[in-house]
Structures are given as structure tokens and as C-alpha cells.
Amino acid sequence: MAIERTLSIIKPDATNRNLTGAINAKFEAAGLRIIAQKRIHLTDAQAGKFYEVHAARPFYGELCEFMSSAPVVVQVLEGEDANAKNREVMGATNPAEAAEGTIRKEFALSIGENSVHGSDAPETAAVEIAYFFSGLELVG
Ligand code: ADP
Ligand code: MG
């Protein structure tokens, strides 16, 4: 296993309910180190660019509207196998299918308002991290 970095976003449904600290505690308990973090309010266009890969999906408009509806916390997590590990800590996209103890099982409201984003692989993580952070902001 290699040390990797992954892009995480604490979504508006979670920032609205003041869950940033509770979610960060899950990452840290799993051995993921938060090496960069900032709270920002995305525009619809910025959310649309980030989720461009889903542009053809029926939920794309709703997703961009949701992601720009309130502040998010964007963060870079570092650790062994960080991309797969974070996906485990997050749980399945649909909270109804998420395993016990996962962030989405405990906190998500629905398949759309599911509290966190996580990169799906190291290659996508590199692109997603560069979308939000400069190299100078990554303090590993
Ligand atoms: P994940 O976030 O688990 O990687 P996807 O990449 O498939 O999931 O989808 C990106 C995001 O789009 C999801 O986290 C969720 O917010 C939203 N989404 C996915 N599927 C649906 C759906 N069927 N209805 C509404 N929103 C959805
Ligand atoms: Mg995804």
C-alpha cells in the first residue's frame, strides 16, 4: 500500500447541521490526516465544472444547485491507501445501502444530500485536488 492523497468535500447538508467536526473525527480515527482544508461557497458554475463527469446524468442540475446552496469544506486527506480508505469511511452513495459506522449511514439525508464527496482513485484525486488547492497549501 502506498501513501496517497484524496480530495474530500463536506457537503452543504453537513455544514448546515454543524457536522464538520464530527466528520473530521471519523477521518482522523481512520488514520487519514487532514493536510489542507478550507470553507468556501461554490457558485453553480464552479460546482458544475467540478461535477462535469456527471453532466449527462438526470440529477446533474439538482446536484449543482445543492452543492452551491451553502458553504462546503474542501479538504485533502493523506494516508495509506487514502482513496480506498476514504471511500470505506464515507460508505455507499445511497445512505440506505451504507454500512454501519460510516459517515453516510450516520449523517446523510438522501442519495443526493449525502454529506461527503471523496475521489474515486488517485488519478482523479490529483485533478480534483488541483481544482481547489495550490501546491503551497498542501502541508503534509
Ligand atoms: P459518489 O459521491 O459516491 O462517488 P457518484 O460519483 O455516483 O457518487 O455521484 C456523485 C454525487 O451525485 C453523489 O454523491 C450524490 O450527491 C449525487 N447523486 C448520485 N446519484 C444520485 C441520484 N440517483 N439522485 C440524486 N443525486 C445523486
Ligand atoms: Mg463519485
Side-chain angles (χ1 to χ4, degrees):
M1 280 193 294
I3 299 292
E4 294 174 358
R5 290 174 173 179
T6 192
L7 191 276
S8 165
I9 305 178
I10 301 178
K11 295 185 178 183
D13 67 283
T15 62
N16 278 338
R17 289 175 290 148
N18 220 16
L19 292 170
T20 299
I23 289 172
N24 280 348
K26 295 265 196 199
F27 295 141
E28 293 185 333
L32 292 164
R33 185 176 298 273
I34 302 163
I35 64 162
Q37 174 168 259
K38 59 190 170 190
R39 180 174 165 100
I40 57 177
H41 194 146
L42 293 169
T43 64
D44 187 77
Q46 288 166 338
K49 177 85 185 145
F50 179 75
Y51 278 117
E52 211 168 31
V53 62
H54 295 305
R57 311 276 287 275
F59 56 81
Y60 179 67
E62 178 191 321
L63 176 61
C64 297
E65 193 180 325
F66 164 60
M67 290 299 289
S68 57
S69 66
V72 296
V73 175
V74 292
Q75 41 191 196
V76 180
L77 310 179
E78 185 180 82
E80 284 217 345
D81 221 7
N83 288 280
K85 184 176 282 180
N86 184 38
R87 299 293 311 192
E88 242 180 76
V89 175
M90 289 164 61
T93 307
N94 184 349
E97 292 163 11
E100 286 301 327
T102 61
I103 292 170
R104 283 167 164 170
K105 176 72 175 182
E106 282 188 26
F107 301 126
L109 299 177
S110 65
I111 191 170
E113 301 198 11
N114 59 3
S115 303
V116 280
H117 164 85
S119 307
D120 54 21
E123 299 71 30
T124 30
V127 175
E128 292 181 356
I129 290 169
Y131 188 68
F132 291 111
F133 294 96
S134 80
L136 286 174
E137 294 176 296
L138 307 175
V139 186

Coordinates of all heavy atoms in Angstrom, one line a residue, residues 53-138:
V53 N -18.1 15.4 -15.1 CA -18.2 14.0 -15.5 C -19.7 13.5 -15.4 O -20.0 12.5 -16.1 CB -17.2 13.1 -14.6 CG1 -17.6 13.2 -13.2 CG2 -17.2 11.7 -15.1
H54 N -20.5 14.1 -14.6 CA -21.9 13.7 -14.4 C -22.9 14.5 -15.2 O -24.1 14.4 -15.0 CB -22.3 13.7 -12.9 CG -21.5 12.8 -12.0 ND1 -21.5 11.4 -12.2 CD2 -20.8 13.0 -10.9 CE1 -20.8 10.9 -11.3 NE2 -20.3 11.8 -10.5
A55 N -22.3 15.3 -16.1 CA -23.2 16.3 -16.8 C -24.4 15.7 -17.5 O -25.5 16.3 -17.7 CB -22.4 17.1 -17.8
A56 N -24.2 14.4 -18.0 CA -25.3 13.8 -18.7 C -26.3 13.1 -17.8 O -27.4 12.6 -18.3 CB -24.8 12.8 -19.7
R57 N -26.0 13.0 -16.5 CA -26.9 12.2 -15.6 C -28.1 13.1 -15.3 O -28.1 14.3 -15.2 CB -26.2 11.9 -14.3 CG -24.8 11.2 -14.5 CD -24.9 9.7 -14.8 NE -25.2 9.0 -13.6 CZ -24.3 8.6 -12.6 NH1 -23.0 8.9 -12.8 NH2 -24.6 7.9 -11.6
P58 N -29.3 12.5 -15.0 CA -30.5 13.2 -14.8 C -30.5 14.1 -13.5 O -31.2 15.1 -13.4 CB -31.6 12.1 -14.6 CG -30.9 10.9 -14.4 CD -29.5 11.0 -15.1
F59 N -29.6 13.8 -12.6 CA -29.5 14.5 -11.3 C -28.5 15.6 -11.3 O -28.3 16.3 -10.3 CB -29.2 13.6 -10.1 CG -28.0 12.8 -10.3 CD1 -26.7 13.3 -10.0 CD2 -28.0 11.4 -10.7 CE1 -25.6 12.6 -10.2 CE2 -26.9 10.7 -10.9 CZ -25.6 11.3 -10.6
Y60 N -27.9 15.9 -12.5 CA -26.8 16.9 -12.5 C -27.2 18.3 -12.1 O -26.5 18.9 -11.3 CB -26.2 16.9 -14.0 CG -25.1 17.9 -14.2 CD1 -23.9 17.7 -13.6 CD2 -25.3 19.0 -15.0 CE1 -22.8 18.6 -13.8 CE2 -24.2 19.9 -15.3 CZ -23.0 19.7 -14.6 OH -22.0 20.5 -14.9
G61 N -28.3 18.7 -12.6 CA -28.8 20.1 -12.3 C -29.1 20.2 -10.8 O -28.6 21.2 -10.1
E62 N -29.7 19.3 -10.2 CA -30.1 19.2 -8.8 C -28.8 19.1 -8.0 O -28.7 19.8 -6.9 CB -30.9 17.9 -8.6 CG -31.4 17.6 -7.3 CD -32.0 16.1 -7.3 OE1 -32.6 15.8 -8.3 OE2 -31.7 15.4 -6.4
L63 N -27.8 18.4 -8.4 CA -26.5 18.2 -7.7 C -25.8 19.6 -7.7 O -25.3 20.0 -6.6 CB -25.7 17.1 -8.4 CG -24.3 16.9 -7.9 CD1 -24.3 16.4 -6.5 CD2 -23.6 15.8 -8.8
C64 N -25.7 20.3 -8.8 CA -25.0 21.5 -8.8 C -25.7 22.6 -8.0 O -25.1 23.4 -7.3 CB -24.9 22.1 -10.3 SG -23.9 20.9 -11.3
E65 N -27.0 22.6 -8.0 CA -27.8 23.5 -7.2 C -27.6 23.2 -5.7 O -27.4 24.2 -4.9 CB -29.3 23.3 -7.5 CG -30.2 24.4 -7.0 CD -31.7 24.2 -7.3 OE1 -31.9 23.6 -8.5 OE2 -32.5 24.5 -6.5
F66 N -27.6 22.0 -5.3 CA -27.3 21.6 -3.9 C -25.9 22.0 -3.5 O -25.8 22.6 -2.4 CB -27.6 20.1 -3.8 CG -27.0 19.5 -2.5 CD1 -27.4 19.9 -1.3 CD2 -26.0 18.5 -2.6 CE1 -26.9 19.4 -0.1 CE2 -25.5 17.9 -1.4 CZ -25.9 18.4 -0.2
M67 N -24.9 21.7 -4.3 CA -23.5 21.9 -3.9 C -23.2 23.4 -3.8 O -22.2 23.8 -3.2 CB -22.6 21.2 -4.9 CG -22.6 19.7 -4.8 SD -22.1 19.1 -3.2 CE -20.3 19.5 -3.2
S68 N -24.1 24.3 -4.4 CA -23.8 25.7 -4.4 C -24.8 26.4 -3.4 O -24.9 27.6 -3.4 CB -23.9 26.3 -5.8 OG -25.1 26.0 -6.4
S69 N -25.6 25.6 -2.7 CA -26.7 26.2 -1.9 C -26.2 26.7 -0.5 O -26.9 27.5 0.1 CB -27.7 25.1 -1.6 OG -27.2 24.0 -0.8
A70 N -25.0 26.3 -0.1 CA -24.5 26.7 1.2 C -23.0 26.4 1.2 O -22.5 25.7 0.3 CB -25.2 25.9 2.3
P71 N -22.2 26.9 2.2 CA -20.8 26.6 2.2 C -20.5 25.1 2.2 O -21.2 24.3 2.8 CB -20.3 27.3 3.5 CG -21.3 28.4 3.7 CD -22.6 27.8 3.3
V72 N -19.3 24.8 1.7 CA -18.7 23.4 1.8 C -17.4 23.5 2.4 O -16.8 24.6 2.4 CB -18.6 22.7 0.4 CG1 -20.0 22.5 -0.2 CG2 -17.7 23.5 -0.5
V73 N -16.8 22.4 2.9 CA -15.5 22.4 3.4 C -14.7 21.4 2.5 O -15.0 20.2 2.4 CB -15.4 21.9 4.9 CG1 -13.9 21.8 5.3 CG2 -16.1 22.9 5.8
V74 N -13.7 22.0 1.7 CA -12.9 21.2 0.8 C -11.6 20.8 1.6 O -11.1 21.7 2.3 CB -12.6 21.8 -0.5 CG1 -13.9 22.0 -1.3 CG2 -12.0 23.2 -0.4
Q75 N -11.2 19.6 1.4 CA -10.0 19.2 2.2 C -9.2 18.1 1.4 O -9.8 17.4 0.6 CB -10.5 18.7 3.6 CG -11.7 17.8 3.5 CD -12.4 17.5 4.9 OE1 -13.2 16.7 5.0 NE2 -12.0 18.2 6.0
V76 N -8.0 18.0 1.8 CA -7.1 17.0 1.2 C -6.8 16.0 2.4 O -6.3 16.5 3.4 CB -5.8 17.5 0.6 CG1 -5.0 16.4 0.1 CG2 -6.2 18.5 -0.5
L77 N -7.0 14.8 2.2 CA -6.7 13.7 3.2 C -5.5 12.9 2.7 O -5.5 12.6 1.5 CB -7.9 12.8 3.4 CG -9.3 13.5 3.7 CD1 -10.4 12.4 3.8 CD2 -9.2 14.4 4.9
E78 N -4.6 12.6 3.6 CA -3.4 11.8 3.3 C -3.3 10.6 4.2 O -3.6 10.7 5.4 CB -2.2 12.7 3.4 CG -0.9 12.1 2.9 CD 0.3 13.0 3.1 OE1 0.8 13.1 4.2 OE2 0.7 13.6 2.1
G79 N -2.9 9.5 3.6 CA -2.7 8.3 4.4 C -2.5 7.1 3.5 O -2.5 7.2 2.3
E80 N -2.2 6.0 4.1 CA -2.1 4.7 3.4 C -3.3 4.4 2.6 O -4.4 4.4 3.2 CB -1.7 3.6 4.3 CG -0.3 3.6 4.8 CD 0.3 2.2 4.9 OE1 -0.4 1.2 4.9 OE2 1.5 2.2 5.0
D81 N -3.2 4.2 1.3 CA -4.4 3.8 0.5 C -5.6 4.8 0.7 O -6.7 4.4 0.8 CB -4.8 2.4 1.0 CG -5.2 1.5 -0.1 OD1 -5.0 1.9 -1.3 OD2 -5.7 0.4 0.2
A82 N -5.2 6.1 0.7 CA -6.2 7.1 1.2 C -7.5 7.1 0.3 O -8.6 7.4 0.9 CB -5.6 8.5 1.2
N83 N -7.4 6.8 -1.0 CA -8.6 6.9 -1.8 C -9.6 5.8 -1.4 O -10.8 6.1 -1.2 CB -8.3 6.9 -3.3 CG -7.6 8.2 -3.7 OD1 -8.4 9.2 -3.9 ND2 -6.3 8.3 -3.7
A84 N -9.1 4.6 -1.4 CA -10.0 3.4 -1.0 C -10.4 3.6 0.5 O -11.6 3.3 0.8 CB -9.3 2.1 -1.2
K85 N -9.5 4.0 1.3 CA -9.9 4.1 2.8 C -10.9 5.1 3.0 O -11.9 4.9 3.7 CB -8.6 4.4 3.6 CG -8.9 4.4 5.1 CD -7.7 4.7 5.9 CE -6.9 3.4 6.0 NZ -5.7 3.6 6.9
N86 N -10.8 6.3 2.3 CA -11.9 7.3 2.5 C -13.2 6.8 2.0 O -14.2 7.1 2.6 CB -11.4 8.6 1.8 CG -12.4 9.7 2.1 OD1 -13.0 9.8 3.2 ND2 -12.7 10.5 1.1
R87 N -13.2 6.1 0.8 CA -14.5 5.6 0.3 C -15.1 4.6 1.4 O -16.4 4.6 1.5 CB -14.3 4.8 -1.0 CG -13.7 5.6 -2.2 CD -14.6 6.7 -2.7 NE -15.9 6.3 -3.0 CZ -16.8 7.0 -3.7 NH1 -16.5 8.2 -4.1 NH2 -18.0 6.5 -3.9
E88 N -14.3 3.9 2.1 CA -14.8 3.0 3.1 C -15.4 3.8 4.3 O -16.5 3.5 4.8 CB -13.6 2.2 3.7 CG -13.7 0.7 3.5 CD -12.4 0.1 4.1 OE1 -12.3 0.0 5.4 OE2 -11.5 -0.2 3.3
V89 N -14.7 4.8 4.7 CA -15.2 5.6 5.8 C -16.5 6.4 5.4 O -17.4 6.6 6.2 CB -14.1 6.6 6.2 CG1 -14.6 7.6 7.3 CG2 -12.8 5.9 6.7
M90 N -16.6 6.8 4.1 CA -17.8 7.5 3.6 C -19.0 6.6 3.6 O -20.1 7.0 4.0 CB -17.5 8.0 2.2 CG -16.5 9.1 2.1 SD -16.0 9.3 0.3 CE -17.5 9.7 -0.5
G91 N -18.8 5.4 3.1 CA -20.0 4.5 2.9 C -20.6 4.7 1.5 O -20.2 5.6 0.8
A92 N -21.5 3.8 1.2 CA -22.2 3.8 -0.1 C -22.8 5.2 -0.4 O -23.3 5.8 0.5 CB -23.2 2.7 -0.2
T93 N -22.9 5.5 -1.7 CA -23.6 6.7 -2.2 C -24.9 6.9 -1.6 O -25.3 8.0 -1.1 CB -23.6 6.7 -3.7 OG1 -22.3 6.4 -4.3 CG2 -24.1 8.0 -4.3
N94 N -25.7 5.8 -1.6 CA -27.1 5.8 -1.1 C -27.0 5.5 0.4 O -26.6 4.3 0.7 CB -28.0 4.8 -1.8 CG -29.4 4.9 -1.4 OD1 -29.7 5.5 -0.4 ND2 -30.3 4.2 -2.1
P95 N -27.4 6.4 1.3 CA -27.2 6.0 2.7 C -28.0 4.8 3.2 O -27.7 4.1 4.1 CB -27.8 7.3 3.4 CG -28.5 8.1 2.4 CD -27.9 7.7 1.1
A96 N -29.1 4.5 2.4 CA -29.9 3.3 2.7 C -29.0 2.0 2.5 O -29.3 1.0 3.1 CB -31.1 3.2 1.9
E97 N -28.0 2.1 1.7 CA -27.1 1.0 1.5 C -25.8 1.1 2.2 O -24.9 0.2 2.0 CB -26.9 0.9 -0.1 CG -28.1 0.5 -0.8 CD -28.0 0.8 -2.3 OE1 -26.9 1.0 -2.8 OE2 -29.0 0.7 -3.0
A98 N -25.6 2.1 2.9 CA -24.3 2.4 3.6 C -24.1 1.5 4.8 O -25.1 1.2 5.6 CB -24.1 3.8 3.9
A99 N -22.9 1.0 5.1 CA -22.6 0.1 6.2 C -22.6 0.9 7.5 O -22.4 2.1 7.6 CB -21.2 -0.5 6.0
E100 N -22.9 0.2 8.6 CA -22.9 0.8 10.0 C -21.6 1.5 10.3 O -20.6 1.0 9.9 CB -23.1 -0.4 11.0 CG -24.5 -1.0 11.1 CD -25.6 0.1 11.4 OE1 -25.3 1.0 12.2 OE2 -26.7 -0.1 10.9
G101 N -21.7 2.6 10.9 CA -20.5 3.3 11.3 C -19.9 4.2 10.3 O -19.0 5.0 10.6
T102 N -20.4 4.2 9.0 CA -19.9 5.1 8.0 C -20.5 6.5 8.1 O -21.6 6.6 8.7 CB -20.2 4.5 6.6 OG1 -21.6 4.4 6.4 CG2 -19.5 3.1 6.4
I103 N -19.9 7.4 7.5 CA -20.3 8.8 7.6 C -21.7 8.9 7.0 O -22.7 9.5 7.5 CB -19.4 9.7 6.8 CG1 -18.1 9.8 7.6 CG2 -20.0 11.1 6.6 CD1 -16.9 10.5 6.8
R104 N -21.9 8.3 5.8 CA -23.2 8.4 5.1 C -24.3 7.7 5.9 O -25.5 8.2 5.9 CB -23.1 8.0 3.7 CG -22.4 9.0 2.8 CD -22.0 8.5 1.5 NE -21.6 9.6 0.5 CZ -21.1 9.4 -0.6 NH1 -20.7 8.2 -1.0 NH2 -20.8 10.4 -1.5
K105 N -24.0 6.6 6.5 CA -25.0 5.9 7.3 C -25.5 6.7 8.5 O -26.6 6.8 8.8 CB -24.4 4.5 7.8 CG -25.3 3.8 8.7 CD -26.5 3.2 8.0 CE -27.3 2.3 8.9 NZ -28.4 1.7 8.1
E106 N -24.5 7.4 9.1 CA -24.8 8.2 10.3 C -25.4 9.5 10.0 O -26.3 10.0 10.7 CB -23.6 8.4 11.2 CG -23.3 7.1 12.0 CD -22.2 7.3 13.0 OE1 -21.9 8.5 13.5 OE2 -21.5 6.3 13.3
F107 N -25.0 10.2 8.9 CA -25.3 11.6 8.7 C -26.1 11.9 7.4 O -26.7 13.0 7.4 CB -24.0 12.4 8.7 CG -23.2 12.3 10.0 CD1 -21.9 12.0 9.9 CD2 -23.8 12.5 11.2 CE1 -21.1 11.8 11.1 CE2 -23.0 12.4 12.4 CZ -21.7 12.1 12.3
A108 N -26.0 11.1 6.4 CA -26.6 11.5 5.1 C -28.1 11.6 5.2 O -28.7 10.8 5.9 CB -26.2 10.6 4.0
L109 N -28.7 12.5 4.4 CA -30.1 12.7 4.4 C -30.8 11.9 3.3 O -32.0 11.6 3.4 CB -30.4 14.2 4.3 CG -29.9 15.1 5.4 CD1 -30.3 16.6 5.0 CD2 -30.5 14.7 6.7
S110 N -30.1 11.8 2.2 CA -30.6 11.1 1.0 C -29.5 10.8 0.0 O -28.3 11.1 0.3 CB -31.6 12.1 0.3 OG -30.9 13.2 -0.2
I111 N -29.8 10.1 -1.1 CA -28.8 9.8 -2.0 C -28.1 11.0 -2.6 O -26.9 11.0 -3.0 CB -29.3 8.9 -3.2 CG1 -28.2 8.3 -4.0 CG2 -30.3 9.6 -4.0 CD1 -28.6 7.2 -5.0
G112 N -28.8 12.1 -2.7 CA -28.2 13.4 -3.2 C -27.5 14.1 -2.1 O -26.4 14.6 -2.3
E113 N -28.2 14.3 -1.0 CA -27.7 15.1 0.1 C -27.0 14.1 1.1 O -27.5 13.8 2.1 CB -28.8 15.9 0.8 CG -29.5 16.8 -0.2 CD -30.3 18.0 0.5 OE1 -30.2 18.2 1.7 OE2 -31.0 18.6 -0.3
N114 N -25.8 13.7 0.6 CA -25.1 12.6 1.3 C -23.9 12.9 2.0 O -22.9 12.1 2.1 CB -25.0 11.4 0.3 CG -24.1 11.7 -0.9 OD1 -23.7 12.9 -1.0 ND2 -24.0 10.8 -1.8
S115 N -23.8 14.2 2.4 CA -22.8 14.7 3.4 C -21.3 14.8 3.0 O -20.6 15.7 3.5 CB -22.8 13.8 4.7 OG -24.2 13.9 5.2
V116 N -20.8 13.9 2.1 CA -19.4 14.0 1.8 C -19.2 13.6 0.3 O -19.9 12.7 -0.2 CB -18.5 13.1 2.7 CG1 -18.2 13.7 4.0 CG2 -19.2 11.7 2.9
H117 N -18.2 14.1 -0.3 CA -17.6 13.7 -1.5 C -16.3 13.1 -1.3 O -15.5 13.6 -0.4 CB -17.5 14.9 -2.5 CG -16.6 14.5 -3.7 ND1 -17.0 13.9 -4.8 CD2 -15.2 14.6 -3.9 CE1 -16.0 13.6 -5.6 NE2 -14.9 14.1 -5.1
G118 N -15.9 12.1 -2.0 CA -14.5 11.6 -2.0 C -14.1 11.1 -3.4 O -14.8 10.5 -4.1
S119 N -12.8 11.4 -3.7 CA -12.3 11.0 -5.0 C -12.4 9.5 -5.1 O -12.3 8.7 -4.2 CB -10.8 11.3 -5.1 OG -10.6 12.7 -4.9
D120 N -12.5 9.0 -6.4 CA -12.7 7.5 -6.6 C -11.4 6.8 -6.9 O -11.3 5.6 -6.9 CB -13.7 7.2 -7.6 CG -13.5 7.9 -8.9 OD1 -12.4 8.3 -9.2 OD2 -14.5 8.0 -9.7
A121 N -10.3 7.5 -7.2 CA -9.0 6.9 -7.5 C -7.9 8.0 -7.4 O -8.2 9.2 -7.5 CB -9.0 6.3 -8.9
P122 N -6.6 7.5 -7.3 CA -5.5 8.5 -7.2 C -5.4 9.5 -8.4 O -5.1 10.7 -8.2 CB -4.3 7.6 -7.1 CG -4.7 6.3 -6.6 CD -6.1 6.2 -7.1
E123 N -5.7 9.0 -9.6 CA -5.7 9.8 -10.8 C -6.7 10.9 -10.7 O -6.4 12.1 -11.0 CB -5.9 9.0 -12.0 CG -4.8 7.9 -12.2 CD -4.9 6.7 -11.3 OE1 -6.1 6.4 -10.8 OE2 -3.9 6.1 -11.0
T124 N -7.9 10.6 -10.3 CA -9.0 11.6 -10.2 C -8.7 12.6 -9.0 O -8.9 13.8 -9.1 CB -10.4 11.0 -10.1 OG1 -10.3 9.8 -9.4 CG2 -11.1 10.9 -11.4
A125 N -8.1 12.0 -8.0 CA -7.8 12.8 -6.8 C -6.8 13.9 -7.2 O -7.0 15.1 -6.8 CB -7.1 11.9 -5.7
A126 N -5.8 13.6 -8.0 CA -4.8 14.6 -8.4 C -5.5 15.8 -9.1 O -5.2 17.0 -8.9 CB -3.8 14.0 -9.3
V127 N -6.5 15.5 -10.0 CA -7.2 16.5 -10.8 C -8.1 17.3 -9.8 O -8.1 18.6 -9.9 CB -8.0 15.9 -11.9 CG1 -8.9 16.9 -12.6 CG2 -7.1 15.1 -12.9
E128 N -8.8 16.6 -9.0 CA -9.7 17.3 -8.0 C -9.0 18.1 -7.0 O -9.5 19.2 -6.7 CB -10.6 16.2 -7.3 CG -11.5 15.5 -8.3 CD -12.4 14.5 -7.6 OE1 -12.2 14.2 -6.4 OE2 -13.3 13.9 -8.3
I129 N -7.8 17.7 -6.5 CA -7.1 18.5 -5.5 C -6.6 19.8 -6.2 O -6.7 20.9 -5.6 CB -5.9 17.6 -5.0 CG1 -6.4 16.5 -4.1 CG2 -4.9 18.6 -4.3 CD1 -5.3 15.5 -3.7
A130 N -6.1 19.7 -7.5 CA -5.6 20.8 -8.2 C -6.7 21.8 -8.5 O -6.5 23.0 -8.7 CB -4.9 20.4 -9.5
Y131 N -8.0 21.4 -8.5 CA -9.1 22.3 -8.8 C -9.3 23.2 -7.6 O -9.7 24.4 -7.8 CB -10.4 21.4 -9.0 CG -11.6 22.2 -9.4 CD1 -11.6 22.8 -10.7 CD2 -12.7 22.4 -8.6 CE1 -12.7 23.5 -11.1 CE2 -13.8 23.1 -9.0 CZ -13.8 23.7 -10.3 OH -14.9 24.4 -10.7
F132 N -9.0 22.8 -6.4 CA -9.2 23.6 -5.2 C -8.0 24.2 -4.5 O -8.1 25.2 -3.8 CB -10.0 22.8 -4.2 CG -11.5 22.5 -4.6 CD1 -11.9 21.2 -4.9 CD2 -12.4 23.5 -4.7 CE1 -13.2 20.9 -5.3 CE2 -13.7 23.3 -5.1 CZ -14.1 22.0 -5.4
F133 N -6.9 23.5 -4.7 CA -5.7 23.9 -3.9 C -4.4 24.1 -4.7 O -4.2 23.3 -5.7 CB -5.4 22.8 -2.8 CG -6.4 22.6 -1.8 CD1 -7.4 21.6 -1.9 CD2 -6.5 23.4 -0.6 CE1 -8.4 21.4 -0.9 CE2 -7.4 23.2 0.3 CZ -8.4 22.2 0.2
S134 N -3.6 25.0 -4.3 CA -2.3 25.1 -4.9 C -1.3 24.2 -4.1 O -1.6 23.9 -3.0 CB -1.8 26.6 -4.9 OG -1.3 26.9 -3.6
G135 N -0.2 23.9 -4.7 CA 0.8 23.1 -4.0 C 1.2 23.7 -2.7 O 1.5 22.9 -1.7
L136 N 1.3 25.0 -2.6 CA 1.7 25.7 -1.4 C 0.8 25.4 -0.2 O 1.2 25.6 0.9 CB 1.8 27.2 -1.7 CG 3.0 27.7 -2.5 CD1 2.9 29.1 -2.8 CD2 4.3 27.4 -1.8
E137 N -0.5 25.1 -0.5 CA -1.5 24.9 0.5 C -1.5 23.5 1.1 O -2.3 23.2 2.0 CB -2.9 25.3 0.0 CG -3.0 26.7 -0.4 CD -4.4 27.0 -1.0 OE1 -4.6 26.5 -2.1 OE2 -5.2 27.8 -0.4
L138 N -0.7 22.6 0.5 CA -0.7 21.2 0.9 C 0.4 21.0 1.9 O 1.6 21.0 1.5 CB -0.6 20.3 -0.3 CG -1.7 20.5 -1.4 CD1 -1.4 19.6 -2.6 CD2 -3.1 20.3 -0.9

